[in-house]
Amino acid sequence: MKTYLITGGAGFIGSNHIIYLFKKYGDNIKIINVDCLTYAGNLENLKSVENFPNYKFYKTDICNKEEINKLFIDYDIDRVIHFAAESHVDRSIKNPEVFANTNILGTLNLLNAAKNAWETNDGFMPGKKFVQVSTDEVYGALGEEGFFYEDTPLDPRSPYSASKTSADLLVSSYVFTYKFPANITRCSNNYGPYQFPEKLIPLIINNALSGKDLPVYGDGRNVRDWLYVDDHAKAIDLVSEKAKDGEIYNVGGHNEKRNIEIIDIIIDYLLKALPDDDKRKKLISRDLIKFVEDRKGHDFRYAIAPDKIKRDLGWEPETSFAEGIIMTIDWYLKNFNWLESITKGEYMKYYEEMYKDR
Ligand code: NAD
Ligand code: DAU
């Protein structure tokens, strides 16, 4: 039975990943979820698995040396799937420091704990793996043409992407220096259930349903390459099981969309999906779209070339954007309580502060 240490498992992608692993492997795995529950961590995401006997949650900061080392003593960990991070670009522009602490020093702490636990006099124990879940933002930004490949030079622009790049370089340095068994995945923008509504898709759904302005940064022509979160989970799992140590894999499904297109799609589908007697339907229209001051240093376009992961590991996305966005909007409609419960209090303060000058 393999034991997984999942960091950041109460966040958007981490919680979807835990649910994915339990669906795929059932009782044949044990999952230790380590998350310090920042504003982005939400144990509600894990209600469906929280009572499984092979699931355990620790409210722990990945920067805490003692507690992280203790987990490696208490459990024979086979896989570290490292999601925990500060993940929002806008927050990194306002407050970079916490991004350096968690994303860089937290990763270093995990690398050291895994190295201490897994290293023997004859090298590393067989069958161990550390997966650094990274992002396409480490490659910087593209113009209207071209794609990011694994050998595209690293060129991060925001404090968030700089911190993720630094963490990736630490992982690579451990592979090179110690022959540490790790891989890095670099994925494009994810969407799906349980995404915190500071990110474009859930923010637009939430604002539209409340009749609030839909803030579009700049002219709305920036391009993101969207991937349904379960397709990301499948890619990470394939990498952790099949990839040769040290390999880096880009993950994306050629689903490029301009931000304004995404907003149009959400408005159209909400108007179609909501019944006429739902009061929220009357609040929704294109008049809510508000072009606001651009994000500082706003990367123009991201687009992943997923050729290597397809060729080496046979990964292909299973969910088209047309299907995935409907599944996602339906999920937020069905789970509106989940959205409501996290858009009170602290979130209102965040929103006011982030959007007041725009
Ligand atoms: P998220 O913000 O939804 O979740 C992050 C989780 O990490 C939260 O549960 C939070 O409580 C936890 N966390 C933060 N700091 C911590 C600390 N110091 N110790 C322990 N736990 C801590 O993020 P997400 O969107 O799920 O992203 C997960 C990972 O995937 C990140 O590493 C991110 O860089 C990467 N990624 C995200 C995307 C995307 O589109 N969201 C795309 C590519 C890669
Ligand atoms: O590409 C992968 C990255 O995708 C991940 O590494 C990050 O963790 C994740 O947050 C995401 O970063 P982005 O900055 O691309 O995502 P965000 O949802 O914040 O913004 C998507 C696009 O929408 C971007 O061009 C900015 C724009 N935007 C965003 C918000 C929140 C708006 O126009 N209005 C908004 O209110």
Side-chain angles (χ1 to χ4, degrees):
M1 180 190 268
K2 277 187 199 119
T3 300
Y4 288 72
L5 178 74
I6 308 279
T7 72
F12 162 49
I13 307 180
S15 57
N16 277 288
H17 195 75
I18 289 176
I19 294 165
Y20 175 90
L21 287 176
F22 276 132
K23 265 195 202 136
K24 180 160 181 198
Y25 298 110
D27 296 341
N28 297 319
I29 55 168
K30 182 187 277 183
I31 293 184
I32 315 298
N33 175 14
V34 170
D35 194 304
C36 72
L37 301 181
T38 67
Y39 74 92
N42 186 351
L43 291 178
E44 286 296 309
N45 304 1
L46 294 158
K47 277 271 166 236
S48 63
V49 305
E50 68 182 5
N51 293 321
F52 288 7
N54 48 342
Y55 169 76
K56 192 104 178 69
F57 172 69
Y58 288 86
K59 186 174 183 307
T60 301
D61 191 320
I62 56 163
C63 298
N64 186 319
K65 284 192 187 143
E66 218 173 289
E67 288 183 31
I68 295 294
N69 278 321
K70 184 164 182 328
L71 286 172
F72 278 89
I73 293 166
D74 292 349
Y75 297 98
D76 179 13
I77 290 162
D78 301 295
R79 300 276 177 275
V80 176
I81 315 289
H82 177 32
F83 296 99
E86 288 293 334
S87 68
H88 191 38
V89 174
D90 291 329
R91 290 186 195 251
S92 82
I93 294 166
K94 289 219 176 237
N95 179 19
E97 200 169 331
V98 65
F99 284 73
N101 281 332
T102 291
N103 299 2
I104 307 174
L105 297 179
T107 302
L108 184 61
N109 191 35
L110 287 164
L111 286 168
N112 284 334
K115 178 174 172 293
N116 288 341
W118 293 347
E119 202 169 25
T120 70
N121 290 337
D122 303 323
F124 285 92
M125 295 172 182
K128 304 293 187 187
K129 186 73 92 178
F130 185 108
V131 180
Q132 157 75 354
V133 181
S134 188
T135 167
D136 57 0
E137 299 198 11
V138 300
Y139 298 119
L142 295 163
E144 292 286 0
E145 304 280 311
F147 296 97
F148 294 136
Y149 291 85
E150 285 79 0
D151 58 1
T152 300
L154 300 175
D155 185 22
R157 317 289 187 96
S158 70
Y160 162 70
S161 54
S163 68
K164 291 295 291 186
T165 309
S166 309
D168 286 12
L169 291 174
L170 282 169
V171 174
S172 293
S173 78
Y174 273 53
V175 170
F176 190 79
T177 309
Y178 309 112
K179 309 280 175 277
F180 182 74
N183 294 102
I184 299 173
T185 57
R186 294 185 176 140
C187 190
S188 60
N189 287 61
N190 283 213
Y191 67 102
Y194 304 117
Q195 187 167 28
F196 193 80
E198 63 189 351
K199 308 283 164 55
L200 182 70
I201 289 179
L203 184 143
I204 295 298
I205 297 171
N206 183 50
N207 282 18
L209 289 171
S210 328
K212 280 170 70 176
D213 285 348
L214 308 179
V216 183
Y217 297 168
D219 61 8
R221 290 178 53 76
N222 297 61
V223 175
R224 294 294 181 264
D225 184 359
W226 295 93
L227 188 73
Y228 193 65
V229 64
D230 275 359
D231 282 325
H232 190 188
K234 187 177 152 198
I236 293 169
D237 187 46
L238 271 176
V239 168
S240 81
E241 294 314 303
K242 301 229 165 92
K244 218 172 94 212
D245 290 346
E247 295 294 329
I248 295 174
Y249 285 102
N250 284 355
V251 186
H254 287 304
N255 267 311
E256 289 179 48
K257 295 268 179 281
R258 295 196 194 279
N259 294 337
I260 194 71
E261 287 180 74
I262 297 282
I263 293 169
D264 282 340
I265 291 169
I266 294 174
I267 294 173
D268 285 347
Y269 185 69
L270 283 175
L271 288 172
K272 196 168 134 196
L274 289 169
D276 287 340
D277 60 356
D278 189 315
K279 279 190 259 158
R280 296 172 300 179
K281 188 167 182 166
K282 293 196 182 57
L283 304 173
I284 302 170
S285 83
R286 284 198 164 62
D287 294 343
L288 294 178
I289 294 175
K290 189 175 166 210
F291 290 91
V292 299
E293 191 192 322
D294 210 353
R295 175 183 278 174
K296 286 189 176 70
H298 197 174
D299 286 340
F300 176 64
R301 174 172 164 261
Y302 305 141
I304 281 279
D307 309 35
K308 181 178 168 187
I309 190 165
K310 184 174 176 189
R311 189 180 61 237
D312 287 6
L313 307 178
W315 177 86
E316 273 189 276
E318 285 169 15
T319 307
S320 70
F321 189 78
E323 292 168 291
I325 193 68
I326 289 177
M327 276 156 38
T328 302
I329 300 173
D330 282 343
W331 186 88
Y332 285 98
L333 286 173
K334 209 169 143 213
N335 295 277
F336 194 60
N337 292 346
W338 181 91
L339 258 184
E340 274 189 321
S341 66
I342 55 173
T343 48
K344 292 187 192 126
E346 274 304 308
Y347 179 84
M348 307 244 294
K349 270 197 237 153
Y350 160 79
Y351 194 87
E352 171 63 25
E353 183 58 30
M354 189 60 82
Y355 290 88
K356 71 172 190 273
D357 299 328
R358 288 206 139 109

